[in-house]
Each structure stands twice: as C-alpha cells, then as structure tokens.
Amino acid sequence: MLKPAICEMRKVYVDTLIELAKRDKNIVVLEADLAGAIGTKRFGEIYPNQYINCGIMEANMVGVAAGLSLTGKHSFIHTFSSFAARRAFDQIFMSLAYAGLDAVMLGSDAGITSEHNGGTHMSFEDIGLMRMLPNCIVTEASDEVMLKKLLLKAYEKGGLWYIRTSRKKVPRIYDLDENFEIGTAKVVKDGNDVAILAYGISVADAYEGAMLLETEGIRAAVIDMFSIQPLDFQMILHYADKTGAIVTVENHQIAGGLGSATAEVLAENKKAVKFTRLGIKGRYGQTGTIDYLKKDYGIDKYSIADQVKKLLG
Amino acid sequence: MNTQIMDKQEIRSLELFAKKIRLNMIKSLFNLGFGHYGGSLSIVETLAVLYGKVMHIDPQNPNLVERDYFILSKGHAGPAYYAALALTGYFNLDRLYTLNQFGTKLPSHPDRRLTPGVDMTTGSLGQGISAACGVAKSFQMDRTKQYVYCIVGDGELNEGQCWEAFQFAAHNKLDHLIVFLDENKKQLDGPTHEVCQTYDYAEKLRAFGFDTQKVDGKSVEKIVMAVEEAKKTTGKPHIIILDTVKGQGFPYLEQKEDNHHVRPTENEKEIIRQFIEELEQKIGGDKDA
Ligand SMILES: Cc1ncc(C[n+]2csc(CCOP(=O)(O)OP(=O)(O)O)c2C)c(N)n1
Ligand SMILES: [Mg+2]
C-alpha cells in the first residue's frame, strides 16, 4: 500500500506554485530567507515579479501578505513551521485571521522532520496554535499527492490556510488521482478492532503499525485526519462506535494537537471508548534523525503496535 | 589608538588560539558530515578574543556569579562556540565529536540547559540580542562591573526584534552591553544586498544611539583594541561591526558561493581533510584534539 516517493515535498510545492502562476498573475510567493531550503528560488527565476524574499523577518512577511491580500493578491508564505506559527503568531492572529484576510502558509520541517536543527527549530505546538484561530484551515500533508491537492484547493477556495509539511521525501500513501475534501478524513485502511487516527508523517507509521498488528490477528483501521480544522468528527464517532478503541498518533504535542481534538469530540459525545494518545508528551525537541526521534518519542510503527495491543489488553 | 594594549607575543598567542578554534570546529563539523560552516568560521577571531583575553570567566565555575556573560544571538554558529568553550576548559575536547549525536550536550543551536558555559539558548534569530539587553539592564540595576557580549549576524538584523532591542539598549544607556555585528555580507539565501539591502549599518546604529566602531574582523589585535576602546565610552551601548568573510580563514570555503550550510561532496571532503592537516601543521605539536 505504501509506495516510494516520486519527489520531495519541496519540489511539489515549487512545481505547484509555478503551475498556479501560469494561470494567475496575482499569485505571490513570499520567503523569509529560506528560499534555498524549500526551493522557491526556481519560482523567483521564472516569475521575478511575483516573488518576494523579505529577508529574515517572519512577522513582517505575514503583515506584507496581509497587505497583498487587501489588494487582491494570493499570497503563499513559507518558512519553517517553528517560525511560521510560533514566531509570527500575533501577526497571523491580528493581520490575517482576525482581519479576515486570505493567505496560504506553508510551515515546513514539521516537528521531528527538522532533524538536526534540533529543539529550537522543532515545532510541536504549531497545530495547537493554529487550530485556535477560528477561521484558519489547518492541515498537514501526508504525502506529495496530498500536498499538491491541498495547495490547489487552498488557491481555489481562498481563506486562511496553514499547511504543515516535511520538506523531503515521505512515503507515498495515495494514488495520483486521489481527491481530498477539507473536513473529510481519509480511510487509509479499514478494520474493526481499533482505529488509529493520524496525520502527516505519522499516517505511514500508523499504517505499518497496523500491518504488524494484522500478523497478530488485530484488525486496525487507519484514518488520515489531515484536516485538523475543520475536523471530521463524524468519522471519529463512526469509528468509536465501530471499534470501541481509538488511538491518535502525531508528530506534535498531544496537548493541543489531534490527541486533544479527538478527546474533545469523544467526551462531548459521551463515547467512553478505550482511548490513548501517542505523540509528544510534554517534551521539547532535540537533534537526531527522523528514525531516532520517532522511536524516542514513541511514534514509530513498533511503538504504535505495542500501544495498540496494550490498549486492547 | 593605543597599541600598547598587547605585546606581540600576546597577539601571537591569540592568533594561535583562533587557529585552534578553527581547527577543532572544522574537525567536529567534518566528523558530523554537515553543518553551518560559513557563519561559524566568520566569528572565530572574535571568540578567540572573548575567551582568550577579554571576558572575566571561570571555566571551572561556569556559573560564577560575577562573570561576564556571552550570548551567541546567531545561534547557528554553535560549533565555533563549542570549540572555544572546550579549548577554554569548560569541557573535554573529545566532546566536540558528540556534536548533534543522539542525546548530545552539543546541539546545532546553543542550549543553556545542556552545555556548561552557554549562558543563553538561541537559534531563532533575533532573540539573543534582547536577552543580552536584559542581562545588561540587570548589571546596571545592580551596579556591577560585569559586561555582556553578544554576537549578531548581518542577516539576523533583518529581524525587527533586533531593532527593538537596540532602541531599548540606547534608551537605557546600557554601556555594559558590547554587541559584535558579524558583517560577513551573506545570509542563507545569498548576499545580504540581494536578499535585503543593509545600507550602512554603522550609520544606522549611530543614529540608533550606539557607540559604533567598525574593525577588521580577521584581526584579533583590532578586535581587542575595539573592545578596550568601547569600554572608555559611558552612557551608550556599544557595537563593534566586524568586517568579516563568510567561511573566514578557510580559503576554499571563502570562495564557495553557497557556504552557509555545507554538506561536503567527496571532492570537498578531501579539501577539508587537507585543510585540517595544514592547520595542524601550522599549529605544530600543540594541536589538541
Ligand atoms: C527566526 C529565524 N528565521 C530563520 C532562521 C533560519 N536561518 C538560520 S541562519 C539564517 C541566515 C542568517 O544569516 P546571518 O545572520 O547573516 O548569519 P551568518 O551569515 O553569520 O551565518 C537563517 C535564515 C532562523 N534560524 N531563525
Ligand atoms: Mg551573515
């Protein structure tokens, strides 16, 4: 089911922006001195008039995007997720969200995918922050197919978007013609015994964890909750009823992340199912490789399978 | 200017210290396989001056209350900082090889909770300079003789927070704050004049109320003199603008255009290996690590 990646997420970002700019001269791509990291220099070479490298000024970049939006332009802002969400949060709140302006923000190096940049750069809070903004669509791209579709959808729908992603290659989950609706989770694998809800890089690990469980006769459903806001609460309730056991997995603090969001849905709907949350539990980031970090934070396929078994007892 | 501050021998010994910082820093990055070579190399001479002469510190007692403080606001240059700390005696040189390894005490970006001698956690650009202002304000409130030294990058000054800090420093007359601006003329995406024109930082900082000097950042002697000079001016915060080269002191990297973060190719690995050998020979028997 998992397929090897065709290209890096950053290539998908740049290719898609180029595709959009072909159709619309109001597309503007903004960077804060991380064009080299995400690859948008290539965009700037083709569309120099639709490309702004602000320099290292994330807060100002958000304000500039607000001004561009005021005058009918479509801004695509990129920086690392740590600086996008944490560093410029008041500007995002005030000048974009509260002011009711449109922009698409790509937060790259999501969570542990910042690897060796370490704790200062490792965003485990961005989903939590962004989902507190009532009109912000909050997503993480689980693979390259989804990233492209989300970017196109963001352009078509307008509004304020936060799309979290890795910059590099991630296992491919979806066929190229797959479509995604905001607010509708994706069933990656069905199952009756337990439902594992995940998003971003954790979907692939949840899937592999579920395959491990399969060999032991446990049939786990894997649901891609890529749309954190709006959240597909009906899917959560459906699988709570169907399996009676829910596990969330995320490359983010469980507090404020999908773990919190799912707990809210279950509690408010009186679903006293077996429930456990995997993800970052009150810790900060650190330097390491993705594999090392997954293991250390307990979100690798083996930890997922173990925790599911523990939950089912 | 007073040239009597140091005799020739002291200058030579600081130059040797700088070479050792450079050597050990490069060895640790080489061992790791990638890292922020460019911006680490351009502050080597300044670190040699700070840790080899200027700062009142005790490596045996990193938390000495009456010490001078140092904040590396451009945190990505951590590897140079760690080499200076190790050579000053805060920890063993062997530890440099744990740079970025699992569970390390030496992460890419400085972490005050992990590394003895690191006064402040940095890595998100523009924040260290504000903390340095806080330290300087505290010294002023307590009327101590301590100084706080801070290195900022020329790209880092894009961040508005730096200019908030500068206003605060000048308004509060923080004359025990000595800021070094590593003007290596490059940031991540290229030359500063292409990404965000800096204009004349000396003129800007003078207008912001700073005691401003501009010196050759490759000369330990000039840097020492600038610090001594700065200390003579009271009632103003100080900035010493360092005319540096990104990749400083490593000819190949100085020339390399994209030298911010380097993951050496096989060919480059050979060049680095040769440079390490060259430096070791220059330093002679006293190479450490
Ligand atoms: C707030 C923030 N934004 C972006 C980055 C990513 N980043 C790391 S170093 C760097 C360039 C820094 O340029 P400069 O200050 O000139 O440093 P130097 O040339 O000395 O390496 C950038 C954009 C960061 N660390 N922090
Ligand atoms: Mg620079």
Side-chain angles (χ1 to χ4, degrees):
Chain A
M1 174 91 186
L2 294 184
K3 309 164 195 66
I6 301 167
C7 58
E8 292 192 315
M9 301 295 259
R10 54 185 158 195
K11 183 171 184 309
V12 173
Y13 181 61
V14 182
D15 287 349
T16 310
L17 294 177
I18 290 172
E19 195 179 312
L20 285 172
K22 265 183 209 152
R23 306 190 224 155
D24 188 345
K25 64 174 178 15
N26 280 325
I27 298 284
V28 184
V29 172
L30 291 101
E31 288 289 346
D33 203 28
L34 283 171
I38 197 77
T40 51
K41 279 187 180 179
R42 187 156 59 86
F43 180 94
E45 279 158 20
I46 308 173
Y47 298 104
N49 290 328
Q50 288 165 253
Y51 174 69
I52 307 170
N53 192 339
C54 301
I56 314 166
M57 38 174 88
E58 297 77 12
N60 182 54
M61 173 167 70
V62 168
V64 169
L68 291 168
S69 171
L70 277 176
T71 48
K73 307 246 180 338
H74 304 289
S75 297
F76 287 81
I77 307 171
H78 162 258
T79 181
F80 290 159
S81 47
S82 48
F83 309 134
R86 294 202 299 250
R87 180 129 190 150
F89 190 64
D90 191 44
Q91 283 76 14
I92 292 167
F93 170 87
M94 173 58 220
S95 299
L96 291 173
Y98 186 68
L101 293 171
D102 293 3
V104 182
M105 290 174 285
L106 187 83
S108 70
D109 277 22
I112 60 170
T113 70
S114 63
E115 296 192 278
H116 291 291
N117 268 329
T120 53
H121 289 52
M122 216 160 266
S123 56
F124 292 149
E125 314 72 19
D126 52 328
I127 294 286
L129 286 165
M130 292 302 184
R131 81 180 187 93
M132 284 195 292
L133 302 172
N135 52 339
C136 186
I137 294 168
V138 182
T139 65
E140 179 165 345
S142 309
D143 75 357
E144 59 196 293
V145 178
M146 188 191 282
L147 177 58
K148 179 172 179 147
K149 298 284 169 79
L150 288 178
L151 290 164
L152 294 175
K153 185 131 283 185
Y155 169 72
E156 284 158 21
K157 259 180 79 95
L160 180 60
W161 288 63
Y162 182 66
I163 303 175
R164 190 183 199 239
T165 188
S166 159
R167 269 189 295 153
K168 312 240 170 104
K169 283 188 173 169
V170 298
R172 192 153 62 82
I173 297 160
Y174 298 106
D175 291 328
L176 296 178
D177 57 2
E178 190 79 47
N179 282 310
F180 305 92
E181 283 306 321
I182 289 304
T184 306
K186 277 267 170 207
V187 180
V188 175
K189 173 187 176 304
D190 209 355
N192 296 318
D193 298 332
V194 56
I196 310 174
L197 314 185
Y199 61 99
I201 59 165
S202 297
V203 176
D205 298 310
Y207 180 78
E208 292 195 321
M211 293 323 260
L212 292 174
L213 291 166
E214 203 79 12
T215 63
E216 299 185 37
I218 298 169
R219 292 197 317 262
V222 176
I223 318 292
D224 185 347
M225 303 297 295
F226 69 95
S227 176
I228 305 289
Q229 177 163 287
L231 188 70
D232 189 350
F233 63 91
Q234 268 157 355
M235 184 75 86
I236 298 174
L237 296 178
H238 173 74
Y239 274 90
D241 289 338
K242 179 169 168 173
T243 67
I246 301 281
V247 177
T248 59
V249 189
E250 61 195 310
N251 168 26
H252 185 277
Q253 294 287 355
I254 57 170
L258 177 64
S260 281
T262 304
E264 289 156 17
V265 171
L266 294 174
E268 280 178 342
N269 291 280
K270 305 189 178 67
K271 301 288 181 196
V273 294
K274 292 180 178 175
F275 178 54
T276 195
R277 300 181 292 167
L278 309 184
I280 318 305
K281 299 178 179 172
R283 292 173 64 194
Y284 288 109
Q286 58 183 320
T287 78
T289 58
I290 289 181
D291 286 342
Y292 170 82
L293 294 166
K294 273 184 189 168
K295 229 170 152 176
D296 197 54
Y297 291 111
I299 53 174
D300 62 309
K301 62 180 174 184
Y302 299 108
S303 305
I304 295 170
D306 285 350
Q307 290 301 317
V308 167
K309 280 189 280 181
K310 226 172 117 188
L311 181 72
L312 298 180
Chain B
M1 260 199 227
N2 182 359
T3 46
Q4 302 297 66
I5 290 170
M6 291 192 297
D7 57 30
K8 284 240 161 58
Q9 204 190 330
E10 200 179 357
I11 294 168
R12 241 177 280 125
S13 102
L14 279 182
E15 283 169 351
L16 179 65
F17 185 38
K19 280 200 185 80
K20 286 188 193 170
I21 296 175
R22 184 162 280 119
L23 170 65
N24 284 285
M25 183 221 103
I26 292 176
K27 282 168 101 177
S28 72
L29 280 181
F30 189 58
N31 175 63
L32 176 64
F34 56 86
H36 291 110
Y37 279 87
S40 295
L41 283 163
S42 54
I43 61 167
V44 163
E45 276 67 24
T46 303
L47 289 170
V49 167
L50 289 173
Y51 284 90
K53 179 172 170 72
V54 162
M55 287 213 293
H56 174 59
I57 43 173
D58 179 4
Q60 302 315 310
N61 181 10
N63 299 322
L64 179 77
V65 176
E66 58 280 6
R67 72 184 183 279
D68 289 339
Y69 279 56
F70 172 69
I71 297 179
L72 182 63
S73 196
K74 41 167 269 186
H76 58 282
Y81 190 8
Y82 300 146
L85 289 174
L87 288 162
T88 314
Y90 283 89
F91 45 83
N92 208 303
L93 276 166
D94 292 344
R95 191 185 282 186
L96 294 179
Y97 294 106
T98 68
L99 179 69
N100 260 340
Q101 306 299 322
F102 302 149
T104 188
K105 301 241 178 270
L106 303 180
S108 299
H109 300 84
D111 187 326
R112 61 179 291 276
R113 297 172 311 157
L114 290 179
T115 315
V118 168
D119 285 322
M120 184 58 194
T121 301
T122 52
S124 182
L125 293 167
Q127 301 198 25
I129 180 66
S130 291
C133 285
V135 172
K137 183 67 192 170
S138 179
F139 291 165
Q140 185 187 59
M141 290 160 80
D142 296 344
R143 296 172 202 281
T144 71
K145 292 191 165 53
Q146 292 154 280
Y147 279 86
V148 52
Y149 299 90
C150 178
I151 302 181
V152 293
D154 51 357
E156 181 179 14
L157 293 199
N158 292 172
E159 289 286 1
Q161 182 173 354
C162 297
W163 301 89
E164 296 176 20
F166 294 155
Q167 291 176 81
F168 179 91
H171 176 79
N172 283 280
K173 304 183 172 40
L174 299 180
D175 51 14
H176 279 225
L177 169 67
I178 299 185
V179 183
F180 294 94
L181 166 52
D182 178 13
E183 193 167 35
N184 59 20
K185 293 129 205 121
K186 277 188 183 177
Q187 50 197 101
L188 193 145
D189 279 338
T192 49
H193 69 85
E194 279 178 20
V195 179
C196 186
Q197 182 59 263
T198 62
Y199 297 101
D200 186 345
Y201 272 139
E203 207 180 304
K204 283 185 177 178
L205 283 148
R206 224 171 271 124
F208 264 66
F210 267 70
D211 164 43
T212 305
Q213 300 178 69
K214 191 162 181 169
V215 303
D216 178 1
K218 292 179 279 309
S219 161
V220 290
E221 185 185 5
K222 297 272 165 51
I223 299 168
V224 171
M225 277 161 53
V227 172
E228 297 299 329
E229 197 58 33
K231 288 183 175 173
K232 289 182 198 156
T233 301
T234 56
K236 282 179 171 190
H238 315 278
I239 190 144
I240 298 170
I241 301 174
L242 304 160
D243 184 2
T244 54
V245 183
K246 204 152 172 168
Q248 186 161 295
F250 186 168
Y252 173 77
L253 280 187
E254 285 187 12
Q255 295 300 317
K256 187 178 161 78
E257 191 180 307
D258 192 0
N259 63 4
H260 179 77
H261 184 275
V262 180
R263 194 180 284 272
T265 60
E266 283 310 312
N267 183 35
E268 286 178 325
K269 280 185 193 160
E270 197 41 50
I271 295 171
I272 296 173
R273 236 178 254 122
Q274 276 176 20
F275 186 67
I276 288 174
E277 250 173 56
E278 228 173 86
L279 267 183
E280 279 178 342
Q281 271 166 18
K282 272 193 199 147
I283 291 168
D286 191 16
K287 62 185 175 194
D288 299 304

